[in-house]
Amino acid sequence: MRSPRRCSRNGCPRQAVATLTYVYNESTAVVGPLAAFAEPHTYDLCEPHARSLTAPRGWDVVRHEGEFEPPPPTTDDLVALAEAVREAARPAPAPRPPDAPQDRHHGDQSHSTGRRGHLRVIPPNH
């Protein structure tokens, strides 16, 4: 499962709840709710850093006045969690005896292809 976005400040382990964007041509720093996606020229901040941000002399800070809330889990997060639970609940396959023949062309395809959900591992040809 994807981990939550963390605060961009060095050494801060907190979860991000706000996004900082600089508008250079207006000398303004904008602190708003956490953006849906991390962008290259923005910074994710935790609540304490979002509330205490100051700007250089001559710059303005526009700050969201409401509460900063952690984002709800995304569909991707929920699907990943469901897949992890399904995988943990799946019984382990019975080990094959060392003298059992391995037929790669017939029989149970799950052993030769390593099928897992919608993905499968195709063994190399020998």
Side-chain angles (χ1 to χ4, degrees):
M1 183 161 72
R2 186 179 61 208
S3 63
R5 286 164 38 193
R6 298 284 175 206
C7 184
S8 296
R9 297 291 299 259
N10 284 339
C12 183
R14 294 184 201 98
Q15 181 178 5
V17 295
T19 296
L20 166 64
T21 306
Y22 289 108
V23 183
Y24 292 99
N25 62 347
E26 295 180 18
S27 300
T28 303
V30 180
V31 180
L34 187 64
F37 300 100
E39 297 291 332
H41 299 290
T42 63
Y43 302 89
D44 293 339
L45 299 174
C46 63
E47 184 156 2
H49 285 125
R51 297 270 179 224
S52 66
L53 179 87
T54 60
R57 184 173 291 147
W59 281 59
D60 294 317
V61 176
V62 176
R63 194 180 325 267
H64 172 70
E65 292 300 323
E67 294 295 317
F68 291 114
E69 307 242 348
T74 66
T75 304
D76 291 344
D77 293 336
L78 296 175
V79 169
L81 179 59
E83 288 292 327
V85 169
R86 248 185 245 119
E87 182 69 25
R90 189 175 290 154
R96 286 185 168 198
D99 59 341
Q102 292 187 2
D103 186 358
R104 296 192 184 272
H105 300 291
H106 302 290
D108 184 9
Q109 289 295 318
S110 64
H111 290 295
S112 63
T113 59
R115 187 164 174 78
R116 293 283 185 185
H118 66 283
L119 302 175
R120 66 176 178 246
V121 176
I122 300 173
N125 292 332
H126 289 288

